[in-house]
Amino acid sequence: MKHPFRRCSHTPGTVSPEDQAAIDQFRAMLTDLRNPLPWTPGQGQDAAVRVGPFIERAHPRPGDDHGTVIAVALVHPDTGHAAAYLHGHQLGYTRKGWLRCETTAILGIWQPAYAMLTHAAANQPLPDDVGMDPARYGVHVEAHRADGTSYPLLRLGPYFQTWVAAHDADQLNTELAGRTATVIPGATVTVKDTLFDISDHDSYTDPYLTDIAALLADAVEGATA
């Protein structure tokens, strides 16, 4: 006995509202992939970045979203909704922290249609290696000679939060306030917080649980001895 094929609960050939919504979402995603909206550094807009075969939502860190390498946090695609943080934590989003992202890896401005291409949509955790290094920072103390040359006096790092690096830079600048041109005869001493240079990590001193003012004094004494 033959039984004619029938779509469950639907007239043959018709598309349910649920199926149509899924089709529309898929078409919107394809359109957004083919025509990404350009992402511009310094605008504070969430970006879409590729992580393996997936696309993830990357939230730039305010103040660290300029240049060719920026600091971002990979966030759940539904960030802003109450359940997104818990789900994102379960899938490893919140454990990644701030990461260094080359702007060449950014596909464009994050758009909701990309959500179906994330690890979260597949209910998969983020991989251990997402292709981005931790966004670490340092504090550089340099002496600048009158002839335009300079040399490092002290390097502190790595810092894992930019505000801590900025705080220590401010502290050292306070130590030098009013005498930057006389600390080392014939040179001007400057302090700035900047990116941690992982390729030159041996030149840095770990600042944690350390009297950084004493480190500065020792560096100056060594330079003038």
Side-chain angles (χ1 to χ4, degrees):
M1 182 176 180
K2 296 183 179 180
H3 298 278
F5 173 78
R6 299 178 64 187
R7 292 172 60 97
C8 293
S9 72
H10 301 298
T11 303
T14 63
V15 178
S16 71
E18 294 80 7
D19 288 345
Q20 187 61 55
I23 292 171
D24 291 343
Q25 184 181 14
F26 182 73
R27 286 175 174 168
M29 179 269 294
L30 290 178
T31 299
D32 289 343
L33 282 176
R34 294 190 184 110
N35 304 286
L37 297 175
W39 184 90
T40 304
Q43 300 298 311
Q45 298 167 310
D46 283 359
V49 298
R50 191 173 296 281
V51 177
F54 296 85
I55 292 177
E56 294 294 339
R57 181 177 180 179
H59 180 67
R61 178 160 56 189
D64 293 330
D65 55 351
H66 295 72
T68 58
V69 179
I70 64 173
V72 302
L74 297 181
V75 296
H76 189 279
D78 295 331
T79 290
H81 297 283
Y85 179 85
L86 177 60
H87 193 206
H89 180 74
Q90 293 169 338
L91 297 178
Y93 283 82
T94 58
R95 292 192 292 273
K96 292 298 180 185
W98 294 104
L99 302 168
R100 294 185 66 182
C101 176
E102 294 186 6
T103 53
T104 54
I106 295 176
L107 302 179
I109 296 173
W110 172 261
Q111 300 181 68
Y114 294 148
M116 64 169 59
L117 301 176
T118 62
H119 286 80
N123 203 32
Q124 294 185 21
L126 287 177
D128 292 335
D129 182 6
V130 295
M132 289 180 272
D133 295 325
R136 297 172 181 171
Y137 293 84
V139 171
H140 291 183
V141 183
E142 296 183 338
H144 303 271
R145 301 185 183 93
D147 62 4
T149 60
S150 62
Y151 60 94
L153 277 180
L154 177 66
R155 287 187 172 184
L156 301 175
Y159 293 87
F160 300 93
Q161 293 176 296
T162 186
W163 72 267
V164 179
H167 174 273
D168 281 6
D170 287 344
Q171 180 180 341
L172 294 182
N173 274 315
T174 299
E175 292 288 328
L176 294 170
R179 59 189 188 95
T180 55
T182 60
V183 173
I184 298 178
T188 300
V189 177
T190 62
V191 182
K192 65 177 180 179
D193 55 296
T194 185
L195 289 174
F196 177 77
D197 185 358
I198 188 64
S199 64
D200 195 25
H201 62 89
D202 288 338
S203 69
Y204 286 82
T205 300
D206 190 337
Y208 291 94
L209 301 178
T210 304
D211 185 346
I212 60 172
L215 291 176
L216 175 62
D218 290 343
V220 170
E221 182 178 353
T224 55

